[in-house]
């Protein structure tokens, strides 16, 4: 599955309108996504990180390390939405927060996913791990929760009372023997195995569109997580080993086939619940959270080991990133022990500042990506969709990936023609637009429901300590206008205006 030089040049020349390449010319693609793990949690990125991450460090040494990569938003669900759809999450019904237990599927039926693009291009598509994009469960009357509660697919998550409705939903009304809807297999994945959300019910594994074992008992109060149904004997410590084992099984199975494969390996760590297995508990000598990061690193190592053992490493593009920055009281414990994971940037998970959404992004593509290189271009996880399409040699439809830029030239060590702006978003609904060295923040005050503006020059002030808004009115005006245009256009990439699912005026911080 090596990339022929002629095919690669064709992809680069025609970009997103590339014709489909022969299957033998395309690499396998594995995207590994960590959970709540900031840029500074990779030892190679942070001299003050004393947690060993040898497998991630190996990826850095053997590939390209992006130093200015960003998640779609600074929390779980919206980042996953952007990664899967190439569309900013705030264009969906999710204007702040995340999907909670029993939330319906967030990805709209008409929105194209990267899994669908690669599947239609001839890839086998599989996912292992945390979905956290909503699932449509069926009640005993044959209705989904959305149908029962008469929820609009495009507006059901309006960062208000609905979260309380879902958390209080009577799960005993559901029929867990019925196939799930709106999950990975309904959005382009030929295969799925995972736990959906590790700290929310139901506490089960899914395989494809079925629950593997029925949740017949309530979660014990002493076990971490939201109350709800659980498989008898379920333990949080068993989740990560099960995911790593199935990822290796999937890779081995696909290595025997004659088609390239795409694996989205979405880890449930080092997010809470902090649940390292016995093999890793105490291994760091620091605290369980550090042990949990080591187990996360080991899961990456398991994938790399499989590729080596199967002899397909040279034919496989591996990407590691995370959904947002780090958080938790455990970070203060580590800092006291000389391990500071947050010192490089302001903020952490949920924040509009760099520590909330600047994430590790490491690419290894043997023979294509310059070994031991780094890239300081500003990129977003949303860019994966257009990039994957270019690698597969197919074009995107006009309505697909409206906020996804093809960064394949960067993977290959080349400069791209322009540096597009990136829009950031946070848990509460604040925004920021980043272009070059400049970042304009629209910080939301939830009490007054008003926005204040802040301007930072990240080249001079990466920790965002000095607001220079009053000194550069022309930059503020230009970035504000660019932000408004991209909101109203329904896209940030070239192409026809996308129909907004709702009036964008209310989301504009002006």
């Amino acid at each position: 599955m090596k990339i022929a030089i002629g095919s690669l040049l064709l992809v680069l020349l025609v970009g997103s309108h590339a014709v489909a390449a022969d299957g033998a010319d395309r690499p396998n693609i594995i995207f590994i996504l960590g959970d709540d793990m900031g840029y500074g949690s990779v030892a190679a990125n942070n001299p003050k990180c004393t947690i060993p991450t040898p497998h991630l460090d190996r990826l850095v040494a053997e590939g390209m390390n992006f130093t200015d990569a960003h998640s779609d938003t600074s929390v779980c669900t919206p980042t996953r939405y952007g990664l899967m759809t190439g569309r900013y999450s705030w264009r969906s019904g999710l204007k702040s927060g995340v999907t909670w237990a029993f939330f319906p599927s967030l990805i709209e039926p008409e929105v194209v996913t990267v899994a669908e693009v690669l599947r239609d291009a001839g890839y086998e598509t599989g996912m292992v791990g945390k979905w956290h994009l909503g699932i449509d469960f069926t009640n005993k009357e044959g209705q989904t929760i959305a149908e029962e509660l008469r929820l609009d697919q495009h507006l059901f998550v309006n960062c208000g009372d609905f979260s309380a409705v879902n958390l209080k939903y009577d799960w005993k009304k559901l029929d867990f023997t019925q196939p799930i809807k709106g999950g990975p297999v309904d959005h382009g994945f030929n295969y799925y195995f995972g736990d959906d959300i590790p700290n929310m019910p139901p506490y089960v594994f899914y395989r494809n569109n079925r629950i593997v074992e029925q949740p017949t008992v309530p979660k014990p109060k002493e076990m971490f997580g939201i109350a709800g149904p659980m498989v008898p004997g379920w333990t949080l410590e068993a989740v990560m080993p099960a995911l790593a084992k199935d990822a290796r099984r999937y890779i081995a199975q696909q290595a025997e086939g004659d088609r390239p494969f795409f694996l989205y390996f979405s880890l449930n760590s080092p997010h809470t619940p902090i649940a390292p297995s016995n093999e890793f508990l105490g291994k760091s000598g620091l605290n369980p959270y550090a042990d949990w990061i080591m187990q996360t690193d080991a899961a990456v190592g398991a994938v790399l080991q499989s590729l080596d053992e199967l002899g397909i490493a040279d034919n496989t593009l591996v990407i590691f990133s995370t959904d947002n920055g780090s958080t938790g009281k455990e970070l203060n414990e580590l800092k006291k022990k000389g391990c500071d994971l947050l010192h490089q940037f302001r903020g952490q998970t949920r924040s509009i500042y760099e520590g909330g959404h600047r994430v590790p992004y490491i690419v290894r593509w043997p023979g294509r990506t310059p070994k031991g290189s780094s890239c300081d271009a500003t990129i977003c996880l949303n860019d994966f969709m257009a990039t994957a399409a270019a690698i597969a040699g197919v074009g995107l439809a006009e309505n697909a990936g409206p906020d996804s830029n093809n960064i394949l030239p960067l993977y290959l060590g080349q400069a791209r023609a322009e540096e597009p702006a990136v829009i950031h978003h946070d848990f509460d609904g604040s925004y920021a637009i980043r272009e070059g060295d400049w970042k304009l923040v629209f910080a939301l005050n939830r009490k007054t429901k008003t926005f204040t503006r802040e301007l930072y020059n990240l080249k001079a002030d990466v920790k965002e300590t000095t607001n220079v808004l009053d000194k550069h009115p022309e930059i503020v005006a230009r970035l504000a206008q660019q932000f408004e245009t991209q909101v109203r256009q329904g896209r940030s990439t070239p192409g026809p205006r996308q129909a907004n699912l709702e009036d964008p005026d209310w989301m504009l911080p002006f």
Side-chain angles (χ1 to χ4, degrees):
M1 299 178 189
K2 293 183 178 180
I3 296 290
I5 293 177
S7 297
L8 183 56
L9 288 175
L10 177 62
V11 169
L12 291 176
L13 286 170
V14 299
S16 62
H17 299 288
V19 297
D22 182 74
D25 289 333
R26 297 176 295 180
N28 307 311
I29 303 172
I30 298 178
F31 197 113
I32 307 173
L33 188 73
D35 195 1
D36 270 22
M37 184 175 174
Y39 181 86
S41 295
V42 177
N45 288 344
N46 180 8
K48 294 188 179 182
C49 175
T50 59
I51 304 168
T53 57
H55 304 293
L56 290 170
D57 293 351
R58 175 189 170 189
L59 276 183
V60 170
E62 295 178 352
M64 177 178 288
N65 193 20
F66 285 77
T67 62
D68 198 2
H70 299 264
S71 53
D72 176 286
T73 302
S74 56
V75 282
C76 294
T77 299
T79 288
R80 287 164 169 73
Y81 181 92
L83 177 64
M84 287 292 99
T85 68
R87 184 172 185 256
Y88 285 128
S89 58
W90 44 264
R91 298 195 197 277
S92 74
L94 189 69
K95 305 306 180 189
S96 66
V98 300
T99 57
W100 294 88
F102 305 122
F103 261 48
S105 176
L106 177 64
I107 299 179
E108 304 85 350
E110 68 271 28
V111 170
V112 177
T113 69
V114 65
E116 290 171 325
V117 170
L118 290 175
R119 180 198 62 193
D120 293 347
Y123 274 71
E124 284 292 334
T125 57
M127 177 184 173
V128 174
K130 178 177 178 178
W131 176 239
H132 203 176
L133 283 166
I135 285 176
D136 294 312
F137 295 100
T138 301
N139 64 25
K140 293 174 182 176
E141 284 68 48
Q143 296 176 303
T144 65
I145 294 175
E147 291 168 341
E148 177 189 343
L149 299 181
R150 298 182 180 179
L151 302 174
D152 187 320
Q153 166 72 40
H154 303 109
L155 297 172
F156 70 86
V157 189
N158 276 327
C159 56
D161 294 336
F162 188 67
S163 60
V165 172
N166 271 266
L167 292 176
K168 294 178 180 177
Y169 186 85
D170 183 4
W171 60 269
K172 294 180 181 177
K173 295 165 62 176
L174 297 175
D175 183 356
F176 290 116
T177 67
Q178 295 299 311
I180 62 171
K181 301 176 182 178
V185 296
D186 286 334
H187 289 292
F189 288 100
N190 296 329
Y191 173 78
Y192 173 58
F193 176 79
D195 63 334
D196 187 30
I197 314 172
N199 55 318
M200 298 183 195
Y203 297 93
V204 299
F205 282 124
Y206 304 82
R207 194 176 300 279
N208 296 325
N209 64 343
R210 293 277 185 176
I211 289 176
V212 175
E213 186 178 352
Q214 290 296 297
T216 57
V217 300
K219 180 192 74 66
K221 291 183 178 180
E222 62 272 17
M223 190 177 96
F224 185 94
I226 294 171
M230 182 185 83
V231 169
W234 182 268
T235 65
L236 299 172
E237 292 76 12
V239 174
M240 264 295 290
L243 299 181
K245 180 180 179 180
D246 201 73
R248 294 195 68 176
R249 183 206 60 78
Y250 180 83
I251 293 170
Q253 179 187 56
Q254 298 308 315
E256 297 178 354
D258 57 1
R259 296 204 295 171
F261 67 86
F262 165 50
L263 171 62
Y264 172 38
F265 186 19
S266 179
L267 308 178
N268 66 317
S269 62
H271 190 287
T272 52
I274 299 170
S277 57
N278 288 335
E279 178 185 355
F280 291 91
L281 189 60
K283 192 170 185 177
S284 70
L286 294 169
N287 67 6
Y289 181 79
D291 301 336
W292 201 210
I293 288 180
M294 291 187 69
Q295 188 163 358
T296 303
D297 178 74
V300 176
V303 169
L304 301 183
Q305 181 180 354
S306 289
L307 298 178
D308 290 339
E309 292 174 348
L310 295 166
I312 60 173
D314 287 347
N315 304 331
T316 304
L317 165 63
V318 177
I319 303 169
F320 174 84
S321 190
T322 68
D323 63 349
N324 47 252
S326 302
T327 191
K329 67 182 188 314
E330 295 82 8
L331 299 178
N332 292 328
E333 297 173 1
L334 289 174
K335 186 176 181 179
K336 292 176 182 178
K337 296 179 179 181
C339 179
D340 191 349
L341 304 184
L342 299 179
H343 74 98
Q344 293 160 303
F345 308 108
R346 175 182 176 181
Q348 50 188 287
T349 299
R350 298 188 174 204
S351 174
I352 195 62
Y353 302 105
E354 293 296 286
H357 49 78
R358 191 179 290 219
V359 293
Y361 194 97
I362 310 165
V363 174
R364 189 189 76 172
W365 192 0
R368 282 79 175 175
T369 298
K371 185 176 180 180
S373 61
S374 65
C375 179
D376 61 2
T378 306
I379 66 168
C380 181
L381 265 62
N382 294 12
D383 295 335
F384 176 62
M385 186 175 192
T387 307
I391 291 168
V394 296
L396 291 177
E398 285 185 345
N399 64 337
D403 301 304
S404 184
N405 293 282
N406 174 16
I407 59 173
L408 176 58
L410 298 180
Y411 287 10
L412 303 176
Q414 303 170 1
R416 54 182 174 178
E418 60 180 352
E419 295 292 323
V422 173
I423 294 177
H424 308 306
H425 193 226
D426 77 357
F427 181 86
D428 290 327
S430 296
Y431 296 90
I433 182 167
R434 167 77 183 283
E435 185 181 57
D437 298 334
W438 295 103
K439 178 179 177 181
L440 178 63
V441 175
F442 304 96
L444 174 65
N445 184 318
R446 298 201 73 176
K447 292 183 179 179
T448 63
K449 296 183 179 179
T450 58
F451 291 89
T452 58
R453 298 185 184 187
E454 303 166 15
L455 180 69
Y456 299 98
N457 184 308
L458 295 185
K459 183 176 182 180
D461 180 25
V462 73
K463 292 189 177 182
E464 299 167 285
T465 62
T466 306
N467 179 6
V468 294
L469 185 81
D470 295 338
K471 296 181 179 179
H472 301 280
E474 73 290 350
I475 293 174
V476 172
R478 175 173 58 81
L479 292 179
Q481 180 59 57
Q482 188 172 5
F483 176 78
E484 180 175 3
T485 298
Q486 292 190 9
V487 170
R488 294 192 183 281
Q489 282 292 108
R491 68 184 311 142
S492 57
T493 57
R497 183 181 184 276
Q498 296 289 294
N500 284 295
L501 299 174
E502 56 221 86
D503 185 349
D505 284 346
W506 74 276
M507 78 171 70
L508 287 171
F510 305 125

